[in-house]
Amino acid sequence: MDIVEYKCPNCSADLKFNPAKQKLTCEYCGGAFTVEEIKKLFAKNESDSQQEQEAADSDSQSEQTVSTEDNGEFESETKLYHCKSCGAEIMATDQQTALFCYYCHNPVILSGKMTGKYRPQKVIGFKISRDEAVKKFKEWCFKPFVPKDFATQQQLDKITGLYVPFWLTDIGFDVDFEALGKKIRSWRSGNYDYTETKEYDVKRSGKLNAEGIPADGSERIEDELMDAIEPFDYSEMHDFSMSYLTGFFAEKFDVEKDSILERIKNRLQPTLSRIVRNTASDYSSLSVSSETYTVNYTNMKYVMLPVWFMSYKYNDQMYEFVMNGQTGKIAGIPPINTGKLRLCTWGLAAALTVAVYVIGGLLLGGVF
C-alpha cells in the first residue's frame, strides 16, 4: 500500500490529527476519534508487515520514479503517487513520508516509506495548533529592526507543521580521569603570613549513563536549531501510528544512526566532564592530566517529534525558524533591516549632537 488516507467512518471526509483534542477529528461532521480507536478501525493501514508492503510495492502501478538534476549534476529522486481522493499525481521527494495533495488538499501518508528500518518506534503528537503557533511566532518576532514583511500574514501562512525524524540515544561511558589537586591554606601568626600547599593525585574511574539524548536525523535542518528547542517531554511519547501524521508533513531520516553517535558524544562531553570534576570540588585548584570517556553501550530509538517550521529569504540569504510543536519554544535569528537600523543610528546620533550643543551652550552661558 503506497498511499494511506484516514477517512471519517461517519461521513467519509478526511480526518486530521487535532493537537488541542489529541484526537483525529472531522471538520465536516465533528466526529472525533482517539488514536487507539483509529488503530482498530484502520488496522490494515497500521500493518507493519514488511512482506505485505514489498508485495504491494511490486504490484502497484501508482508509483513512478523521476530523476531531478541541477546544473547537470544528480541532485535527488522524486516519485509520483496518485491521490485516491481526486486522482491527481502527487510528487514527493525521497525523504517525505506525509504531505498534502496539491489539488484537493487532502492529507496523504506515503506508507511504503515507513517500513523496516524507516518505521519509527515512537512519536510525540503535536500539542501546539497552527493558530497557536502563528500567535506565538508573531509575539516572538515583534522586534524593531526586522523587515516589514517578516511577520505579515502572507509570510506566516508559510509556517509548516513537520514531524522531524530524531534518534533518541541511551548511552553509557567508562570514565578514566586523572588530575593534580591542590589544597591551599593561608593564615597569619604574629608578624608572619603563612601559606600551606598540599598536592594530591586525584583519580576517578567508573561508569556514567545518559538516557534519551536527542539528535535530529535530517540533513536539511540545522542541528543547532533543533538543539535549541529542546527539551521534549518524553512522558507524552506513544507507540508510533501513522494516524498521528495525518494533517501534517513528515520526513524520514537521511542521517544514519552510526553518523549520529559522534555528535551525541560531543554534546555530552562538557556535561560528563562537569559531573566528574564536581566530585573533586573540595580542592583549591585542579590540573587535569588525562580525561577519557569511552562508550561501552548504546541503544538508539527512531522517533518522530513535532516541529513548526518556517523559512524566510531576505537579501539572498535564507533564514530558518523552528518551534517545538509540544512546548512552543522558538529558535531562530531574525533578519535585520539595515536601512531601519541605519536610520535609527543616524537619528540617535543627531539627537545626541543637538543635546551636546544645548548642554554646552547652557554651560558656556552660565560661565560667561
Side-chain angles (χ1 to χ4, degrees), residues 3-109:
I3 286 184
V4 168
E5 296 176 335
Y6 289 88
K7 301 292 185 179
C8 176
N10 297 330
C11 68
S12 297
D14 291 299
L15 292 175
K16 295 180 181 179
F17 185 78
N18 187 311
K21 296 183 178 180
Q22 292 293 292
K23 294 181 177 181
L24 279 85
T25 60
C26 175
E27 298 176 351
Y28 291 89
C29 71
F33 309 89
T34 66
V35 171
E36 291 304 317
E37 289 172 332
I38 290 299
K39 282 183 178 181
K40 293 178 181 178
L41 288 170
F42 298 89
K44 189 176 180 181
N45 288 359
E46 297 294 326
S47 172
D48 192 26
S49 168
Q50 184 66 38
Q51 287 185 341
E52 180 183 336
Q53 291 293 345
E54 289 176 353
D57 288 344
S58 63
D59 294 338
S60 174
Q61 300 298 318
S62 63
E63 183 177 304
Q64 178 184 346
T65 300
V66 179
S67 295
T68 59
E69 297 184 2
D70 183 17
N71 296 328
E73 296 182 2
F74 181 76
E75 285 291 317
S76 63
E77 185 180 89
T78 62
K79 291 183 178 180
L80 295 178
Y81 299 83
H82 290 285
C83 175
K84 293 182 178 180
S85 297
C86 70
E89 288 188 331
I90 305 168
M91 182 175 287
T93 66
D94 283 345
Q95 276 65 53
Q96 288 177 309
T97 58
L99 64 162
F100 294 83
C101 173
Y102 311 126
Y103 298 94
C104 66
H105 303 292
N106 284 341
V108 294
I109 300 171

Side-chain angles (χ1 to χ4, degrees), residues 125-164:
F126 274 86
K127 291 193 72 176
I128 304 294
S129 69
R130 182 184 183 83
D131 289 343
E132 289 177 299
V134 169
K135 181 181 177 182
K136 287 177 179 291
F137 188 77
K138 277 183 176 178
E139 294 170 352
W140 178 82
C141 69
F142 186 72
K143 296 175 173 60
F145 301 117
V146 300
K148 189 177 294 185
D149 63 342
F150 180 57
T152 61
Q153 192 59 47
Q154 183 180 7
Q155 174 63 25
L156 292 173
D157 285 342
K158 297 177 183 178
I159 194 166
T160 301
L162 176 68
Y163 279 98
V164 176

Side-chain angles (χ1 to χ4, degrees), residues 142-147 314 335-338 340-342 344-345:
F142 186 72
K143 296 175 173 60
F145 301 117
V146 300
Y314 181 69
I336 299 298
N337 187 324
T338 54
K340 278 187 179 181
L341 184 60
R342 195 179 299 114
C344 181
T345 304

